[in-house]
Amino acid sequence: MEKVNSFDRYCKMAFGAENSSVVFKLVAYQLFSREKDVEQIKREYKNHINFISHENYPSIIIYDEVEDANKATLFYEIVDIQEIPGIIKRNKIFVDNLKDNLLSNEDRKLFPYFFNTLDKIVENQAFNFEIIILINIKLSDTEIADLELKYSENPDVSNIGEFKIVDRKRLINKFNGENEENKTDNPLKFNFEFKNPANAETGKNNSIIYDERNSEKTVLLSLTAMSLIRCYQKFQDRIFERNVRYNIDSGSISKSVDKNIEETVASNPEKFFIFNNGITVVTEKIYDLDIQNNTVLLNNFSIVNGAQTVTNLNKLFGKSKLKDNLSKVFVVAKIIETKSDKDGELIEKITKSSNNQKPVQPRDFRSNAAEMIELKKFFKENQIILNIKRGDSDINEKNYIIKNFNLKEENIKRLWNDRLGQYIYSLILMKPTVALQNKNKIFNDEHYNLVFKNESISNEDKLLAYKFYDVIEKMVQLANNDIEPSRIEEVKPLMLLIQNWIIALLWLIWNNLDNLNELISIKEIDQFKNSKGTFINKNSGDEITVNQELLARYLYECYENLWELYKKKKNNKNEIYGHSAFSYKKDFFEEFVKLCLLPITISEREARKKILESIFNKK
């Protein structure tokens, strides 16, 4: 009961002004998306960015092209399970219209930000859908399982994607899971069992030991599933800390693997050892390999491949009818002793090579890189959680910040490293179009080296880029709300797409407040590079203050310039560019910047200079 109360208290504290239906949707969005900032979620709801109240569309859409460019999650809110068949029909019509470009143009005008999300889905052909039914009542586990099985077999669902029901209890469980605290930070130590029924009969041991002079000691064993389950229940996700990702509950391939694991345990547990790929474990030391008692003691270990196997076995342990079968399951384990690996380079190579048999995002492979770990620590010391690994709830960092800086959990800033990479590209390198066009490529070698391994960009610079973007993004969104919609109706669909153009422009102004005479005479953006080749003249301690009213006035002028620029630009077919294609053009961005900085006449120079100064309250 306590956990339910904590959920209710959180809802009231975070979203208290909204009615219960809205709160349920907002919390669901917060838990299923990467957006954890409550105020940002409220703004997105108000501006219909990912939310909509229209019977022809899902209630919420989550599409994150960096996390998974091929998948979109569609949420439908209901009050009674009898509504599900109707929702399935509505969803099929929506998906068909989306694919065939038959959605209403009138709706596009009413909900431009929401349609920007739909446009991204179409542009990336992200038609691998997950359909989630939200219902703010408690259903039994059996009832949910029966409903999911029943409707998943419906062709109008199975031909579109996966089907899931999230009732109030499931949402509370997800909330509690993401807020559960780890018990200890001590190095992991566990005695695993690798009993094999054949041992008692033959007297032979079932281990393979590879211990050559010029290589790391490696042992191959058949660990018992129950041993792995006990280990996971004791340490939870800490046993995956060196993994490039934790177990990630999404994607059709992931769900297929889950299903295969359960089917094997249910129908052929003795063959699990053969059918499953097993796990890879790195450990500081293999302390005790006891052949007589079939146990192995590991210290400071991590399962770097096989998180999905371990977490699924633990889930199946909760199903009483499968407990007996789990006692017959053995998992092949490759255990590598890495005590000589001082800098972690070997573990990184082991992790990368052992995770190439199923889709892993480039971001995952960077999660254990030295510069990422150092950057995460730097942000933690500045009271910000930097997430560098999918599936990681960052509990240790959260607890550290609460303890050392006396901050409440709801006041802790949280940032993902792929978004930080986009901020660096947009601001420090003044390439917002590259950031837009390469959201899901930021961890490829070319972009990663330029953004995260660039010696000209310090961690302090990266922190400042985040702080500026965090402050200004909110200010821009507020200013957009202050602008009379009817006067900029034509440019509304572009406003969200080119938001990082706007923020990059404001960054350029802020960093050159002491050089405004040159700025309002701009010829090329590159003339404002510093000696390091970056666009930063400030430091992380500089205050960022904005005059909201003057910013709104200036943005209105910027949007007028944007609309005029957009109308005159034509592609090679002499047609106006699509919104996304327009936002990717570097030349268009640079022309936009000049239009927004240069005074129309010489006599307007001082007025222009004063406006730019006043936006940031410069005296």
Side-chain angles (χ1 to χ4, degrees):
M1 190 67 179
E2 176 60 27
K3 286 189 173 181
V4 175
N5 286 338
S6 69
F7 176 80
D8 289 336
R9 284 196 300 271
Y10 175 78
C11 291
K12 185 175 182 180
M13 176 193 70
F15 305 107
E18 305 290 348
N19 65 51
S20 59
S21 172
V22 172
V23 169
F24 195 69
K25 286 186 285 189
L26 295 178
V27 175
Y29 178 70
Q30 184 179 32
L31 293 175
F32 281 91
S33 75
R34 292 195 297 163
E35 184 56 70
K36 304 304 176 188
D37 187 313
V38 170
E39 295 305 316
Q40 179 64 21
I41 292 170
K42 290 177 181 177
R43 283 190 290 273
E44 293 192 12
Y45 178 77
K46 180 178 180 180
N47 292 318
H48 306 287
I49 293 176
N50 293 297
F51 303 84
I52 196 169
S53 297
H54 194 301
E55 63 178 11
N56 293 332
Y57 302 96
S59 305
I60 313 169
I61 291 183
I62 294 177
Y63 177 60
D64 189 330
E65 56 191 309
V66 176
E67 280 291 280
D68 191 340
N70 299 312
K71 176 192 166 192
T73 305
L74 314 177
F75 294 80
Y76 291 89
E77 184 188 25
I78 63 173
V79 295
D80 190 288
I81 59 174
Q82 302 301 321
E83 298 176 56
I84 295 177
I87 292 293
I88 290 173
K89 291 180 181 178
R90 275 177 49 192
N91 183 69
K92 183 179 186 305
I93 294 170
F94 164 74
V95 171
D96 287 345
N97 287 341
L98 179 66
K99 290 179 178 179
D100 296 336
N101 195 27
L102 295 176
L103 296 177
S104 165
N105 286 327
E106 289 302 315
D107 291 342
R108 178 180 289 276
K109 292 178 181 178
L110 290 171
F111 311 106
Y113 295 159
F114 184 80
F115 270 76
N116 278 333
T117 302
L118 300 183
D119 289 342
K120 290 177 184 177
I121 292 172
V122 173
E123 182 181 343
N124 293 325
Q125 295 291 288
F127 299 139
N128 172 27
F129 293 105
E130 182 178 28
I131 305 157
I132 295 182
I133 303 296
L134 291 174
I135 182 166
N136 194 9
I137 59 174
K138 290 184 180 180
L139 304 173
S140 70
D141 292 341
T142 301
E143 189 173 12
I144 290 176
D146 290 345
L147 288 169
E148 288 181 338
L149 179 62
K150 174 183 176 180
Y151 290 113
S152 292
E153 295 174 348
N154 185 319
D156 287 344
V157 172
S158 60
N159 292 333
I160 290 174
E162 300 169 58
F163 181 83
K164 183 184 292 185
I165 294 173
V166 175
D167 70 335
R168 180 174 176 80
K169 184 172 75 172
R170 276 191 170 183
L171 197 69
I172 290 173
N173 288 343
K174 187 169 178 63
F175 170 82
N176 289 331
E178 294 201 0
N179 288 279
E180 187 174 317
E181 294 186 356
N182 280 8
K183 304 299 182 186
T184 177
D185 292 329
N186 296 329
L188 306 184
K189 191 173 185 178
F190 195 80
N191 208 22
F192 292 91
E193 297 175 2
F194 58 94
K195 290 179 181 179
N196 187 323
N199 280 358
E201 300 171 11
T202 67
K204 297 178 181 179
N205 78 71
N206 63 333
S207 62
I208 299 175
I209 303 174
Y210 181 78
D211 193 8
E212 296 295 326
R213 178 179 298 176
N214 297 321
S215 184
E216 282 66 32
K217 181 178 180 179
T218 302
V219 178
L220 294 179
L221 298 170
S222 56
L223 297 184
T224 67
M226 293 307 301
S227 181
L228 286 169
I229 290 168
R230 285 193 293 272
C231 180
Y232 179 77
Q233 289 178 346
K234 181 175 181 179
F235 298 114
Q236 296 293 309
D237 286 342
R238 288 187 65 212
I239 66 176
F240 309 128
E241 283 184 349
R242 295 305 299 265
N243 202 328
V244 294
R245 58 182 185 178
Y246 293 166
N247 179 49
I248 300 165
D249 184 22
S250 66
S252 57
I253 293 177
S254 176
K255 294 296 190 299
S256 175
V257 173
D258 295 350
K259 185 177 180 181
N260 289 339
I261 288 174
E262 181 169 3
E263 287 178 351
T264 304
V265 171
S267 61
N268 214 345
E270 295 86 355
K271 292 293 196 327
F272 192 92
F273 183 88
I274 300 172
F275 297 153
N276 185 264
N277 287 333
I279 67 174
T280 302
V281 185
V282 293
T283 182
E284 182 181 274
K285 186 172 178 60
I286 302 173
Y287 270 98
D288 187 12
L289 181 60
D290 186 344
I291 301 300
Q292 296 299 318
N293 295 303
N294 291 318
T295 61
V296 58
L297 178 63
L298 304 182
N299 185 59
N300 199 12
F301 66 90
S302 180
I303 297 175
V304 297
N305 180 250
Q308 192 169 8
T309 294
V310 175
T311 53
N312 270 284
L313 290 174
N314 182 64
K315 288 178 185 175
L316 298 179
F317 183 73
K319 299 185 177 183
S320 57
K321 63 181 181 180
L322 294 180
K323 284 187 178 180
D324 289 341
N325 285 21
L326 284 168
S327 66
K328 305 172 187 176
V329 171
F330 296 88
V331 180
V332 61
K334 179 167 64 174
I335 303 171
I336 305 166
E337 190 175 86
T338 58
K339 60 183 178 182
S340 62
D341 186 31
K342 303 300 183 184
D343 59 3
E345 183 178 348
L346 174 64
I347 293 177
E348 184 176 352
K349 289 181 178 179
I350 293 170
T351 302
K352 187 170 182 177
S353 61
S354 62
N355 276 280
N356 61 6
Q357 72 270 39
K358 61 183 180 181
V360 180
Q361 302 294 342
R363 178 182 183 233
D364 301 325
F365 288 130
R366 305 292 186 181
S367 60
N368 288 324
E371 64 276 356
M372 271 297 139
I373 294 172
E374 179 187 346
L375 187 60
K376 183 181 182 73
K377 182 178 179 181
F378 176 81
F379 269 73
K380 180 182 72 174
E381 295 297 339
N382 284 276
Q383 307 172 36
I384 299 164
I385 294 175
L386 178 66
N387 180 275
I388 63 175
K389 184 183 300 185
R390 288 195 294 165
D392 188 354
S393 59
D394 296 307
I395 290 175
N396 291 335
E397 287 71 24
K398 180 189 74 176
N399 292 342
Y400 177 89
I401 293 172
I402 291 172
K403 179 180 178 181
N404 289 277
F405 299 103
N406 197 29
L407 277 181
K408 293 183 178 180
E409 181 179 344
E410 59 267 23
N411 294 329
I412 298 175
K413 299 282 188 180
R414 185 179 175 94
L415 170 68
W416 280 258
N417 58 345
D418 57 290
R419 292 185 183 175
L420 178 61
Q422 292 168 41
Y423 300 163
I424 295 167
Y425 246 137
S426 295
L427 307 184
I428 298 177
L429 298 175
M430 198 51 57
K431 295 182 177 180
T433 56
V434 176
L436 277 172
Q437 199 166 8
N438 295 280
K439 284 182 180 179
N440 56 353
K441 298 177 183 177
I442 205 79
F443 293 97
N444 293 352
D445 286 346
E446 175 190 357
H447 301 294
Y448 183 85
N449 291 339
L450 185 59
V451 170
F452 289 112
K453 298 184 77 171
N454 189 336
E455 293 183 357
S456 297
I457 304 175
S458 67
N459 285 345
E460 287 80 4
D461 293 342
K462 294 166 188 169
L463 176 63
L464 181 59
Y466 161 69
K467 286 182 174 180
F468 186 88
Y469 211 103
D470 183 54
V471 170
I472 300 302
E473 182 179 38
K474 295 179 176 67
M475 295 296 100
V476 168
Q477 290 170 351
L478 288 171
N480 287 346
N481 293 334
D482 293 337
I483 297 173
E484 179 60 41
S486 62
R487 298 176 63 192
I488 56 165
E489 191 66 36
E490 300 89 345
V491 82
K492 280 180 70 176
L494 276 170
M495 287 169 63
L496 187 64
L497 280 175
I498 58 92
Q499 182 169 273
N500 72 335
W501 286 24
I502 294 288
I503 297 173
L505 167 64
L506 294 170
W507 169 268
L508 187 64
I509 295 169
W510 184 64
N511 273 273
N512 289 278
L513 287 174
D514 296 327
N515 192 26
L516 286 179
N517 284 326
E518 184 177 354
L519 192 65
I520 61 174
S521 304
I522 184 171
K523 294 179 181 178
E524 300 293 338
I525 289 180
D526 281 354
Q527 74 190 73
F528 296 96
K529 282 183 179 178
N530 59 28
S531 59
K532 293 182 179 180
T534 62
F535 292 83
I536 181 168
N537 300 316
K538 300 276 190 178
N539 61 63
S540 57
D542 287 336
E543 189 177 4
I544 306 166
T545 57
V546 178
N547 184 310
Q548 189 67 46
E549 182 181 353
L550 292 178
L551 177 63
R553 291 182 193 174
Y554 183 63
L555 288 185
Y556 180 78
E557 179 184 334
C558 291
Y559 293 140
E560 285 188 323
N561 290 330
L562 176 67
W563 180 239
E564 293 303 318
L565 183 66
Y566 178 71
K567 286 192 298 183
K568 74 177 186 180
K569 295 299 181 182
K570 304 291 177 63
N571 61 22
N572 54 14
K573 295 181 180 179
N574 200 34
E575 299 171 340
I576 291 178
Y577 280 89
H579 294 149
S580 293
F582 177 84
S583 70
Y584 295 158
K585 294 293 184 180
K586 177 186 175 183
D587 292 346
F588 296 173
F589 164 68
E590 293 189 351
E591 190 171 344
F592 169 74
V593 168
K594 293 176 188 176
L595 287 171
C596 295
L597 291 176
L598 292 171
I600 298 174
T601 65
I602 295 177
S603 62
E604 293 178 351
R605 283 179 58 85
E606 285 304 313
R608 171 66 68 183
K609 183 178 173 182
K610 185 175 181 181
I611 289 172
L612 299 182
E613 285 177 337
S614 300
I615 290 172
F616 292 101
N617 297 323
K618 189 177 188 310
K619 303 298 182 184

